[in-house]
Amino acid sequence: MAALKYADDIADVAKANDVAVSSILKLREALAQNGGEAENASRLMSSFNSFVAKAADGSFEAQRSFKSLGVSLSDLSELSIDQLFAKTAEGLADIEDPVMRNARGFEIFGKAARGVDLVGLNEDLKQANELTEKQAEAVKAAADMFDLLEKHARDPW
């Protein structure tokens, strides 16, 4: 039952942040491999979505931060959250000064980015593979099963 709950949690994070389940799986693994905690994937994505919303709502500072990473205003309106996240991670990794990179990462990703090697995170996120996609399918199926079991536990008839 714990595995089903785990899968449901991942699916819920993906749904809440409008990203693919595979993106959350990759982010969890990349965080764990680069000085962060896998459990912070939800917090990191929530902070990122909040920062995107600030920029979209006209915050000059947020727009300037994105622009410095190579993310344009048109990107903010045209790209999916997955695509924006990838482009932002790439832009952060391209900042040569580690102090500036970490400061900008903290600004955009919040406290969940503290202690995370953003260059390594970007590299690991780019390593999309067939295994991640198969894991995502299994997570979705397990999450659906967990939701069905919860429904039947609440309303057995």
Side-chain angles (χ1 to χ4, degrees):
M1 190 67 157
L4 293 177
K5 174 71 172 124
Y6 170 79
D8 186 60
D9 290 345
I10 289 174
D12 288 348
V13 168
K15 186 175 180 180
N17 291 288
D18 197 25
V19 297
V21 169
S22 60
S23 296
I24 299 300
L25 289 171
K26 286 187 280 189
L27 179 57
R28 288 176 57 87
E29 181 63 24
L31 281 170
Q33 294 300 317
N34 291 285
E37 296 179 26
E39 296 77 27
N40 284 342
S42 175
R43 289 178 49 212
L44 192 136
M45 282 304 274
S46 293
S47 294
F48 177 70
N49 277 332
S50 176
F51 199 77
V52 169
K54 280 173 52 176
D57 287 342
S59 166
F60 176 73
E61 291 176 12
Q63 291 173 359
R64 188 179 68 205
S65 290
F66 274 125
K67 186 176 180 181
S68 73
L69 300 175
V71 178
S72 69
L73 286 176
S74 62
D75 289 339
L76 292 171
S77 63
E78 296 170 4
L79 298 180
S80 71
I81 291 294
D82 277 335
Q83 292 168 320
L84 279 174
F85 191 90
K87 194 166 186 177
T88 302
E90 182 82 30
L92 285 168
D94 288 344
I95 296 174
E96 291 187 26
D97 179 7
V99 173
M100 285 301 298
R101 182 184 326 117
N102 292 335
R104 189 61 46 87
F106 190 77
E107 173 189 22
I108 295 170
F109 296 140
K111 292 178 183 178
R114 182 176 286 138
V116 174
D117 171 11
L118 296 172
V119 174
L121 180 82
N122 179 58
E123 287 302 313
D124 286 351
L125 288 173
K126 291 191 308 187
Q127 300 298 320
N129 59 44
E130 189 177 316
L131 181 60
T132 303
E133 295 303 322
K134 288 182 181 180
Q135 288 173 328
E137 291 172 21
V139 166
K140 287 181 211 170
D144 290 344
M145 178 60 68
F146 183 81
D147 289 341
L148 185 63
L149 289 171
E150 271 193 327
K151 181 180 183 229
H152 285 296
R154 285 190 308 268
D155 185 21
W157 307 109

